[in-house]
Amino acid sequence: MITGLKINTIWVLDQDSALEFYTKKLGFEVRSDTQMGPDSRWVTVGAADQPDLELALMLPGPPAVDPESAEQLKVLVAKGILGAGVMATDDCQATYEELSARGVEFVQPPKKRPYGVEALFRDDSGNWFSLTERSETLDESIGWD
């Protein structure tokens, strides 16, 4: 039986640059950084308050992706086509201002939505994320804490 999600892959174009972005700009902590062979490195980061979830900063390529698909995936990442997920915040406007000051590129400033307040940003590879402060009314109406 599946009990939850532990690691989620984020495709990146450069692991050193991505590691710096996720730790220095987003404030995540390094969970692992291990050389797995001459051409493979396992790098994960995560939010300090969420120890059960890690983001694997992966280069597209073998063994997970065949060489031809890896090249296509790199192009899609660099174009900013891939949305990698939603990052939660208690105060979207304040987090937007803090991350902007650290050099994070936002493609949409905070805007009110039916589910809360949302801003969109890109990581240094081109992946886009939603930064979302959920509204209490939405949380209550669907039973989320």
Side-chain angles (χ1 to χ4, degrees), residues 76-88:
L76 293 175
V77 169
K79 281 185 171 183
I81 303 272
L82 302 178
V86 177
M87 304 230 178

Side-chain angles (χ1 to χ4, degrees), residues 11 58-75:
W11 297 111
M58 300 285 294
L59 293 173
V65 179
D66 66 85
E68 181 182 344
S69 297
E71 291 308 311
Q72 294 170 348
L73 187 52
K74 288 175 189 175
V75 170

Side-chain angles (χ1 to χ4, degrees), residues 118-136:
E118 176 188 55
L120 299 177
F121 71 90
R122 293 193 191 282
D123 70 7
D124 67 319
S125 291
N127 297 299
W128 65 268
F129 291 87
S130 167
L131 175 67
T132 301
E133 171 189 351
R134 293 176 17 142
S135 66
E136 292 175 9

